[in-house]
Every structure is written in C-alpha cells, then in structure tokens.
Amino acid sequence: MLRYLTAGETHGKCLTVIIEGMPSGVKIDINKINAALADRQKGYGRGGRMLIEKDSAEILSGVRGSYTLGSPIAMRIENRDWKNWESIMGTEECESKKEVFCPRPGHADLSGGMKYNHEDLRNVLERASARETAARVAVGALCAQLLESFGIELKRRVVNIGEVCDDAPVLDDAFYKRVKESPVGFGSEEAQKRAMEYIDKIKSSGESIGGVVEIRVNNLVPGLGSYVHYDRKLDANIAFGVMSVQAIKGVEIGAGFDVAKRPGSKVHDEIVYDGGFSRLTNNAGGIEGGMSNGEPIVVRAAMKPIPTLYNPLKTVNLKDKSQVKASVERSDACAVPACSAVVEAVVAFEIAKAFLDKFGGDCMADICAAYDAYKKRIEEY
C-alpha cells in the first residue's frame, strides 16, 4: 500500500519525508518536484518567509538513474531559515528565547499544549505550521509522475478569494494556462485584478482572507475505490486527505453542498452509451458509490483565513491567565493560490494510492499489464 510519513519543524533544520509502496520503474524528474515546490511558494499576498525560502527537494534513497527502485523513497527539503533559528531550535541544546505563552486563536497552540503538556507553545506551532505542506507537495509531485505514465492529469484553480470569484466561463486549456500564470490562480484577468485589490485592502487592515480551490483529475478509468468497504471509498479518502491540510475547513466533490438544494432530477447524472458509457452532466464529480465513474473528478476545498493576524485577537497568557493580545509570527495575508498547489498534491497522492490498490504490482511492467487488461475488459463491457 502506498503511504508516506513527514517529519520536521517550521524553523528546524529541514523537512523530510519517506514514501513507501511506490513500484519500481517509475521515471522521476526532480525538476517537476521542484517546480511544484516553487508553485507552493507563489501567490499574491504571501508573507516575508517566501523571500527567504527557495524550496528544492533532494532525493536521498529509492531512486537510481531517475527510476524508482521499489524500495522506500526518502526526500529532504532544507529550511534556509534554519541559520537564524539554530540556537533556538537545536535538538541537543537550545536557548529559551522566543518562547510562546499566549496561544493564538485559530491555531493548534492551546489544544496542542494541553494534549502534549507543553508550557512553551513553540513546541506546538513549529510542527502544526503549514510549512509541513512542502513535504506533502514533494510527495504529490512524485505521485503525479506515476499517474502521468497512464495519461492521468491534474488541473488546479482558485475559485474565489474572499468575496471575489473567478467568473471565467470555459475551463479549457487556455483557461488553465492563464491560471498557471496568474498570481491569484484565476483564469479571468478582470477577476484577477479585483482579487489583488481585495487582498491589498485586507492586508492594509491587518486582516487575512481565505477562499476556495478546485482540483480536477482527468482521464481516470471507472472503478478506482470501492463500494464494498467504507475505508476504501475514493471520495472518503480524498476528503480525508484534503481535510488533513492545514487551514482546510470544508471539502466537496462535484456539486457538493449544492445537492442539498436541488431535486433529484437536477442532481443525478444521466447515463448514455455511444461506443462507451458516459454521463450527460457531472454533478457527482466523477465519483459514484465510492468509485471513479470515468468522468473528471472534481474536488473543492474551503480554506479559512490564516489565523495569525497583524491586528491580533484576544487570548490568555498561560503564565498568569491574564487577558492579552495574541502573539504574531510571520504570516500571509492570503495563501489561497499556494493552497491550491498543496491540495493538488494531496489529491495526486490519493489517486495514486487508489490506482495502485487497483492495478498494483512490484514493478511498472506488472501494473501496465493489469491496467491494459482492465481497460480492454471495460471497453467490452
């Protein structure tokens, strides 16, 4: 089974990740991983740390001559800010400055301190930080290269930032090219301008803002996932993965929450046959009964505003229980475009996991044989 584990703190020496279950023979281009890491750092409204970090991944094991070996893959992403924090975050000795005793509303600080019995809440925020998502982006970018071998592609976009929606009507290749070039992840240039002005207004008021991102997965065969077991349902696993991303507060697939407002005839997708099965609409978002149905998978995620505010909210000092203003760590006014890169990576991993559950073998040759046989059987169904 495909799985991974990340380690590292936001101001620690590095982030590391180990991926297990990747078959041998997958061609890996490190430049694609680093391009995904760069995308995670982009976006209008990002904070000062993006001027410090220029992320790149180093593959430590599991790949030889650009091909996976079938053994665990280890990757490392250096934290360039470590040189400024080495005396504070050292693993053997550390200084007691920059301690945090005032938990920030919206963060893991207070609950994490209670759970792990930490007096200095820096021990919580260092790991709870979204810096950890850099490791997950590296994982997703690697998994996407497995999927590319079978013609499966992922597309991302930002649907809205706060009150500003991307109103581009057609989601074609030209649209996604504009999205990739946009500092806010929009396909509409007019909406992009409004979003940037909106972020400026938010930032100047000491606020932050969230939004909604969308991932589409194209060219999947039907049958990934399962209707038999609850923990193998594709939509359930995608929702779990996306909800595990820091700051995500809601996930929907296809029409999502909107299905609760419509009658059944406006929700369920009619089936037609023209040399193969297809749906006239895609309100299900490519998943029915916990399985892919052959239509594009459409996932949307709602990101809350970054909780660290330069106009901080009320909190309590753990030392004397006095009412104070929350402490301020370096933060972003808007990280929604970056969030779209993270969510894309998480979805890529979940799709790759379901793909290997269905067609998995120890090497690409076995997987290709199983995949081709399945496609032939589906075509004859």
Side-chain angles (χ1 to χ4, degrees):
M1 183 179 74
L2 189 66
R3 60 181 181 172
Y4 69 94
L5 180 69
T6 72
E9 287 74 44
T10 186
H11 295 112
K13 189 172 186 178
C14 65
L15 299 172
T16 56
V17 60
I18 295 177
I19 308 164
E20 182 187 23
M22 185 65 67
S24 69
V26 181
K27 185 171 177 56
I28 300 300
D29 184 347
I30 191 66
N31 294 318
K32 290 182 178 180
I33 296 174
N34 288 334
L37 288 171
D39 285 346
R40 176 194 164 275
Q41 296 187 283
K42 296 176 183 176
Y44 198 75
R46 299 303 305 275
R49 184 159 190 183
M50 296 307 106
L51 302 175
I52 299 173
E53 302 287 0
K54 297 295 180 184
D55 287 337
S56 61
E58 178 186 6
I59 298 177
L60 304 175
S61 68
V63 176
R64 183 184 182 207
S66 297
Y67 286 89
T68 58
L69 299 175
S71 52
I73 298 169
M75 288 190 284
R76 175 183 183 273
I77 302 169
E78 179 187 359
N79 286 336
R80 297 192 180 185
D81 206 13
W82 162 250
K83 63 179 181 286
N84 300 316
W85 288 81
E86 186 172 358
S87 64
I88 300 165
M89 294 298 298
T91 56
E92 295 180 7
E93 295 182 3
C94 65
E95 299 176 4
S96 60
K97 58 183 181 180
K98 293 203 174 184
E99 293 174 314
V100 178
F101 301 111
C102 303
R104 299 160 300 165
H107 279 279
D109 299 355
L110 183 56
S111 298
M114 290 176 171
K115 177 178 175 66
Y116 290 100
N117 197 28
H118 291 308
E119 292 184 4
D120 179 3
L121 299 181
R122 178 159 299 285
N123 292 334
V124 178
L125 68 88
E126 284 289 330
R127 178 59 182 170
S129 166
R131 174 70 184 147
E132 182 265 350
T133 62
R136 291 207 256 175
V137 167
V139 171
L142 188 143
C143 290
Q145 294 182 61
L146 166 70
L147 299 176
E148 286 172 11
S149 303
F150 299 92
I152 301 165
E153 62 176 9
L154 290 93
K155 303 280 190 180
R156 71 173 184 268
R157 72 179 183 116
V158 174
V159 177
N160 68 274
I161 293 175
E163 300 173 353
V164 184
C165 297
D166 186 2
D167 51 9
V170 181
L171 304 183
D172 55 11
D173 288 342
F175 169 85
Y176 283 109
K177 184 175 185 295
R178 294 193 300 272
V179 166
K180 191 167 183 62
E181 296 169 351
S182 169
V184 293
F186 279 10
S188 164
E189 294 181 0
E190 191 277 329
Q192 171 185 302
K193 180 181 177 182
R194 287 190 286 115
M196 293 170 72
E197 291 172 349
Y198 182 74
I199 292 169
D200 288 340
K201 181 180 177 182
I202 287 291
K203 186 175 182 178
S204 65
S205 66
E207 283 279 5
S208 60
I209 196 66
V212 173
V213 303
E214 179 183 276
I215 311 300
R216 288 179 176 254
V217 186
N218 297 324
N219 306 324
L220 272 184
V221 293
L224 299 191
S226 175
Y227 69 90
V228 177
H229 302 291
Y230 75 92
D231 57 345
R232 297 180 193 173
K233 289 179 179 286
L234 184 60
D235 45 1
N237 286 324
I238 288 173
F240 169 79
V242 174
M243 278 298 295
S244 75
V245 175
Q246 292 85 334
I248 298 300
K249 299 300 287 185
V251 180
E252 63 179 14
I253 302 209
F257 287 99
D258 201 40
V259 301
K261 305 173 185 176
R262 306 180 191 176
S265 61
K266 303 297 183 183
V267 170
H268 303 297
D269 305 308
E270 294 182 292
I271 301 171
V272 295
Y273 185 84
D274 184 12
F277 293 101
S278 63
R279 274 76 174 167
L280 295 178
T281 54
N282 191 25
N283 293 318
I287 300 178
E288 291 174 307
M291 302 167 293
S292 60
N293 65 12
E295 300 295 327
I297 289 179
V298 183
V299 184
R300 288 187 173 187
M303 178 189 185
K304 70 180 181 181
I306 298 293
T308 296
L309 303 177
Y310 286 103
N311 185 17
L313 300 173
K314 291 180 182 178
T315 187
V316 174
N317 187 312
L318 298 184
K319 290 290 190 182
D320 59 13
K321 306 302 187 289
S322 61
Q323 190 83 70
V324 294
K325 293 288 188 178
S327 59
V328 177
E329 294 279 323
R330 195 165 42 204
S331 185
D332 305 319
C334 177
V336 180
C339 179
S340 71
V342 177
V343 174
E344 179 185 38
V346 169
V347 172
F349 170 79
E350 293 297 340
I351 297 295
K353 184 174 73 171
F355 188 89
L356 291 176
D357 284 347
K358 174 65 180 168
F359 303 111
D362 296 317
C363 65
M364 281 291 282
D366 292 347
I367 296 169
C368 289
Y371 180 73
D372 290 343
Y374 182 77
K375 281 190 70 176
K376 182 179 180 181
R377 181 170 69 77
I378 291 296
E379 290 168 0
E380 296 171 351
Y381 186 77

